[in-house]
Amino acid sequence: MSTGGHKGATAAGRLSVLVGALSVPAFVGLWELIARSRIVNAVLFPPPSTVAVAVLDWIQSGQFFGDLSASLFRVTVGFLIGTAGGIMLGVLTGRFRLVSSLLSPLFHILRPIPPIAFVPIVILWFGLSETGKLFLVVWGVFFTVWLATHIGVQKVDRGLVRAALMLGTPRRQMLSEIILLGALPYIVVGLRTAVSISFYTLVAAELAGAFAGIVYRIEIAQQNMQTGQVMGGLAALGLLSFVADRSFAAIAERAVWWR
Amino acid sequence: MVAMMHNPLRPTPPLRLVDAPPEPSSTAPEAIIRVENLSIVFDVPRGEVIAVDRVSLAVMPGEFVSLVGPSGCGKSTLLNAMAGLERPFEGEVIVAGKPMLAPRPDIGMVFQQPHLFPWKSVRRNIAHGPRALGKSKTEALRIADDLIEMIGLTKFASAYPHTLSGGMQQRVAIARALANQPRELLMDEPFGALDAQTRAVMQDNLLELRDRINATIVFVTHDIDEAILLSDRVLIMSAGPGRILRDLSVGLPRPRSSAILTDPAYLALKRDCLDLIRTEGRKAFEQMEAVT
Ligand SMILES: Nc1ncnc2c1ncn2[C@@H]1O[C@H](COP(=O)(O)OP(=O)(O)O)[C@@H](O)[C@H]1O
Ligand SMILES: [Mg+2]
């Protein structure tokens, strides 16, 4: 009967929720067992309990929040600047053939170079300053957002533009409303990619030399052979980018509000 | 072979069949829309397409004129030129005394697709034009609300376009075009995408609307019934490149409704149109045969 099938489906659903909830604890438990069984070197491969203690120390020492805010600042500000620039230039190159002829070839050459490759020159230009770190994040975010916006603008329904023209829409509003909102579904996809790119570039920026930051802390711990702290740092970074991605997905869902 | 081909850019006298009205003299009322010897050519990868071929026509203030012709004959291109969306290759379009070089808010346009702004509610879609022209928000929304009432969509004022049926969306598009109180309204197969039933209702609505808005209307369609039902004059275009074959006055009394579809005068008119279109179709076909 269909009700039976339905119940079966619900039961299967419950089971998969249960297994899903157990996935991480089971993995952590297994890791703890293996690490304690001395099959592996516990210094290089510390059990989760050691990692937890290291993280607690990190928080209690007061360094954690300093590191967190330093990293968050770089990611957030870099993301915002890169996004603002990418959207503005994407609208211009997508809409005006002349601007596109001027800038697109250049951008297409620079875009495929992995932002990490710019670390050496950024150190020469900016030393270990915050500017250099922001530069790397902005650089990574900018090209992704620019390309998504450029393509989105070119795909804006011509009929909408013509309708807006017939209604006397001023040039400014044409760009800031019709073109921008018309391209928004594409831009949002680009922004989500840019969120993860901003974390990649953050890693490069902090590894290149910093005075605070989650990745900086990982590197210091590695130099002191504090593997528990290294893994704690990785876990913190993972959690942070996970939360960023999920919140962005939630925002993106609402950004295209008319769907 | 090539020499035999008709070159539409070489002047040949404009083809006019029967009963074209005399050119308006200085004592006659001034035409509000005047198309003079207009040609429009598109560059395409394989060369050029002549979409409109030396068309001349005049529309009097308050007139309802339909352009009828097979698809691809240049109706949309001609209408877009009247809207300022397409530049003349040759000749010119003059509306209310000024040549059309760019869209103007005193000219409204309704396209075959509604092209509503998907991010705006019905109310704000209609208020878009008045806002763009600098009216205050309150004033723009008041205009929108009046029009929403007129099109009978009060319940849907705050709905988004994608939640409406095709017919409702097109009614919003008409209201949006009317919000700027255009003196001329251009409509490009506005009911072409609708089912027969909705279409009939929309035609009746437009007839009613017309009495209230006091605008000159140019209406593109490939449906002869629709053209005769709605218009004061029907211009019949040849297969592409578009030229005007015949200019027919529809002497049927107003107010009209779909009841006239069985009127003998209506049927006679329709037979005229169909004969013309059939002859033209055969001519075009023979021309093609001769070339190949
Ligand atoms: N933007 C364009 N570029 C190239 N060719 C076009 C363009 N617009 C229309 N045409 C061509 O011009 C001719 C007339 O098109 P159109 O005005 O849309 O006809 P209709 O509205 O009567 O169906 C067609 O052959 C069409 O392919
Ligand atoms: Mg058309």
Side-chain angles (χ1 to χ4, degrees), chain A residues 98-131:
Chain A
L98 196 66
V99 183
S100 181
S101 310
L102 185 69
L103 296 178
S104 298
L106 180 69
F107 288 176
H108 280 300
I109 288 174
L110 293 177
R111 194 176 59 86
I113 306 174
I116 299 175
F118 285 88
V119 167
I121 193 77
V122 162
I123 290 177
L124 287 181
W125 286 343
F126 301 104
L128 298 184
S129 69
E130 278 310 300
T131 319

Side-chain angles (χ1 to χ4, degrees), chain B residues 84-250:
Chain B
L85 289 169
E86 217 70 78
R87 290 285 189 91
F89 172 78
E90 197 181 60
E92 62 181 343
V93 178
I94 295 163
V95 179
K98 281 168 283 176
M100 288 307 300
L101 300 168
R104 273 173 14 198
D106 61 318
I107 300 168
M109 177 88 150
V110 178
F111 302 89
Q112 181 166 2
Q113 301 299 325
H115 294 311
L116 300 176
F117 306 121
W119 50 83
K120 283 186 153 153
S121 65
V122 165
R123 199 163 175 245
R124 291 193 180 264
N125 258 286
I126 300 174
H128 182 98
R131 280 297 278 157
L133 297 189
K135 291 233 162 63
S136 77
K137 198 164 176 176
T138 336
E139 173 71 356
L141 288 176
R142 197 191 53 70
I143 294 172
D145 287 338
D146 287 351
L147 285 163
I148 290 172
E149 203 185 318
M150 190 165 92
I151 58 172
L153 288 181
T154 312
K155 268 194 286 183
F156 298 90
S158 50
Y160 282 91
H162 75 276
T163 62
L164 305 180
S165 71
M168 286 157 118
Q169 287 188 24
Q170 200 57 294
R171 273 190 277 170
V172 177
I174 293 172
R176 182 177 65 174
L178 293 178
N180 281 344
Q181 292 183 295
R183 308 255 289 110
E184 296 81 29
L185 184 62
L186 309 175
M187 306 179 89
D188 191 357
E189 301 195 40
F191 310 144
L194 305 178
D195 61 83
Q197 218 163 358
T198 312
R199 196 184 171 117
V201 174
M202 297 288 284
Q203 289 166 352
D204 286 343
N205 286 346
L206 183 60
L207 281 172
E208 275 173 41
L209 194 70
R210 197 222 162 180
D211 297 334
R212 289 200 246 173
I213 58 172
N214 186 33
T216 308
I217 301 180
V218 181
F219 187 99
V220 164
T221 178
H222 57 243
D223 179 340
I224 292 166
D225 288 318
E226 184 170 71
I228 299 176
L229 170 65
L230 297 173
S231 317
D232 301 317
R233 260 163 70 211
V234 178
L235 305 181
I236 298 184
M237 291 179 74
S238 64
R243 316 190 53 182
I244 291 179
L245 283 184
R246 191 156 172 195
D247 185 337
L248 284 169
S249 293
V250 181

Side-chain angles (χ1 to χ4, degrees), chain A residues 23-47:
Chain A
S23 156
V24 175
F27 172 74
V28 171
L30 191 68
W31 170 10
E32 181 84 29
L33 273 178
I34 294 173
R36 284 191 183 281
S37 67
R38 297 183 182 279
I39 302 172
V40 292
N41 181 342
V43 174
L44 293 179
F45 193 68

